[in-house]
């Protein structure tokens, strides 16, 4: 069974640039969630993708966007980077149906983004 | 909106001893899930234990157990026979069971140190 993998593991960008982070979900999972974890904080929910559609969004501006592909992998895109976007970005996958959600997530190791 | 509070930023325990991490939450829902996740220095978040709100019996996973007090909205984690590998950040998390809201609400975490 392949776990959740994320790339890149570390990256440095400058303010105003754009970044794309990638995630491959665990085999058998159909849902990908993205979280932002600032230093010393708990993860904050950005959004979730289910069957290639956004299925819930946290309190993040529209410059945070995402995609889910037919193989259930996902991308997180952040435009017009700001200094406060510096954080660990975690991807998590799960198996979700329209009627059942156990809430249990399987996390990747994250992508550490530094914005200068 | 639901909130999760962990009032202990750091805790320390002697190897082989028992430690309890505290968590309180606020919600108006009657059905939900509660979790404890562990984040070791390698950063990958790992599920420790899960509790369904409608179950009165406290969840147990080997050396890990919870004290779930629904009326008090309290969900503490007890680690027995602490081991050096238990050293990590521990996050309490809340999830609604609805199929369209598969995100977790995390507390700020408790850093657990284990002394040999």
């Amino acid at each position: 069974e392949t776990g959740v993998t994320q790339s890149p593991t570390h990256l440095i960008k400058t303010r105003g640039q754009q970044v794309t982070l990638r995630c491959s979900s665990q085999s058998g999972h159909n849902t990908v969630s993205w979280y932002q974890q600032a230093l010393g904080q708990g993860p904050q929910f950005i959004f979730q993708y289910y069957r290639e559609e956004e299925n819930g969004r946290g309190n993040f501006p529209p410059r945070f966007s995402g995609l889910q592909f037919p193989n259930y992998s996902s991308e997180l895109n952040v435009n017009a980077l700001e200094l406060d976007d510096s954080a660990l970005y975690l991807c998590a996958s799960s198996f979700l149906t329209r009627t059942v959600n156990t809430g249990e997530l399987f996390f990747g190791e994250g992508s550490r983004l530094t914005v200068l | 909106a639901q909130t999760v509070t962990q009032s202990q930023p750091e805790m320390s325990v002697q190897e082989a001893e028992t430690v309890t991490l505290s968590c309180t939450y606020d919600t108006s829902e009657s059905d939900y899930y509660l979790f404890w996740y562990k984040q070791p220095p390698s950063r990958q978040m790992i599920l420790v234990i899960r509790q369904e709100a409608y179950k009165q019996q406290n969840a147990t996973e080997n050396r890990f157990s919870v004290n779930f007090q629904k009326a008090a909205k309290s969900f503490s984690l007890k680690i027995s026979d602490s081991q050096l590998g238990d050293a990590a950040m521990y996050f309490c998390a809340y999830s609604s069971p609805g199929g369209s809201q598969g995100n977790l609400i995390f507390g700020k975490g408790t850093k657990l140190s284990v002394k040999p």
Side-chain angles (χ1 to χ4, degrees), chain A residues 104, chain B residues 36 47-51 58-66 77-80 86:
Chain A
E104 183 173 347
Chain B
W36 279 97
L47 177 66
V48 174
I49 200 164
R50 171 176 175 267
Q51 176 78 42
N58 289 326
T60 299
E61 288 287 343
N62 301 313
R63 298 183 295 108
F64 298 87
S65 62
V66 298
L77 174 69
K78 185 172 80 171
I79 306 174
S80 304
D86 294 334

Side-chain angles (χ1 to χ4, degrees), chain A residues 51-115:
Chain A
R51 291 186 175 179
E52 302 178 51
E53 293 184 356
E54 190 177 287
N55 181 45
R57 188 181 183 92
N59 188 27
F60 281 82
R63 58 189 186 85
F64 286 78
S65 63
L67 285 172
Q68 186 181 31
F69 301 100
N71 66 354
Y72 303 119
S73 65
S74 177
E75 288 182 355
L76 165 65
N77 299 290
V78 187
N79 293 322
L81 284 167
E82 300 177 359
L83 297 179
D84 285 348
D85 295 333
S86 294
L88 180 67
Y89 288 85
L90 296 171
C91 170
S93 72
S94 59
F95 183 76
L96 176 69
T97 71
R98 284 296 180 188
T99 56
V100 176
N101 166 31
T102 65
E104 183 173 347
L105 301 181
F106 296 80
F107 286 84
E109 292 193 3
S111 294
R112 173 73 67 188
L113 171 64
T114 301
V115 182

Side-chain angles (χ1 to χ4, degrees), chain A residues 100-102, chain B residues 25 29-34 50-58 68 70 95 97:
Chain A
V100 176
N101 166 31
T102 65
Chain B
Y25 60 95
E29 298 175 320
S30 59
D31 192 19
Y32 46 87
Y33 299 102
L34 295 167
R50 171 176 175 267
Q51 176 78 42
E52 297 164 356
Y54 67 87
K55 291 186 177 179
Q56 292 185 343
Q57 186 174 5
N58 289 326
F68 173 48
K70 191 173 184 179
S95 173

Side-chain angles (χ1 to χ4, degrees), chain B residues 4-67:
Chain B
V4 175
T5 302
Q6 293 179 250
S7 59
Q8 305 155 317
E10 296 188 27
M11 291 284 285
S12 180
V13 63
Q14 205 73 32
E15 195 176 6
E17 297 290 307
T18 295
V19 65
T20 298
L21 307 184
S22 300
C23 173
T24 58
Y25 60 95
D26 189 26
T27 183
S28 58
E29 298 175 320
S30 59
D31 192 19
Y32 46 87
Y33 299 102
L34 295 167
F35 305 85
W36 279 97
Y37 276 87
K38 170 185 178 182
Q39 189 177 40
S42 68
R43 303 179 306 183
Q44 189 166 27
M45 199 88 71
I46 304 166
L47 177 66
V48 174
I49 200 164
R50 171 176 175 267
Q51 176 78 42
E52 297 164 356
Y54 67 87
K55 291 186 177 179
Q56 292 185 343
Q57 186 174 5
N58 289 326
T60 299
E61 288 287 343
N62 301 313
R63 298 183 295 108
F64 298 87
S65 62
V66 298
N67 183 5

Side-chain angles (χ1 to χ4, degrees), chain B residues 69-91:
Chain B
Q69 301 289 327
K70 191 173 184 179
K73 295 180 182 175
S74 171
F75 183 62
S76 61
L77 174 69
K78 185 172 80 171
I79 306 174
S80 304
D81 186 25
S82 297
Q83 300 175 1
L84 295 177
D86 294 334
M89 285 293 294
Y90 285 82
F91 292 96

